[in-house]
Each structure stands twice: as structure tokens, then as C-alpha cells.
Amino acid sequence: MNKLIIPAILVIFALWILLQLALGGDVFKNPLNYFILITVFFLFIKQAKEK
């Protein structure tokens, strides 16, 4: 897996969280945030197994 995939996803996720905060949304009630966190977690595990 390319080494830039996980940092790029993390940057996009951080910008997504900032956008939600700027729009006044509740970050903890959005199920998409949990889905993204679980996906990043499994990608991180996959990258750790490859090394």
C-alpha cells in the first residue's frame, strides 16, 4: 500500500471534522465519522501487517 494513503485520509478527515464544527454540527452524532475512523483503523492495521 502506498505510504501516502493513510496520511491523506487523515488530513481529509481532519478537514471534514473542522467543517462540521464550523457549520455547528454535532461531531459525535454523525455516524459517518465513526465509519471513517473504523476504516482508517483497519487500513493502519493492514499497513502494519505489510511491514
Side-chain angles (χ1 to χ4, degrees):
M1 184 176 1
N2 193 356
K3 293 181 180 179
L4 294 177
I5 291 176
I6 293 180
I9 292 173
L10 289 176
V11 167
I12 292 170
F13 183 60
L15 292 173
W16 170 249
I17 295 292
L18 288 175
L19 177 66
Q20 289 180 24
L21 290 173
L23 294 175
D26 192 2
V27 178
F28 298 107
K29 289 186 179 179
N30 191 351
L32 182 62
N33 294 342
Y34 296 111
F35 175 74
I36 294 171
L37 280 177
I38 291 169
T39 304
V40 168
F41 178 70
F42 283 117
L43 284 175
F44 184 73
I45 290 174
K46 182 180 176 183
Q47 185 181 21
K49 281 185 177 181
E50 288 180 358
K51 289 185 179 181

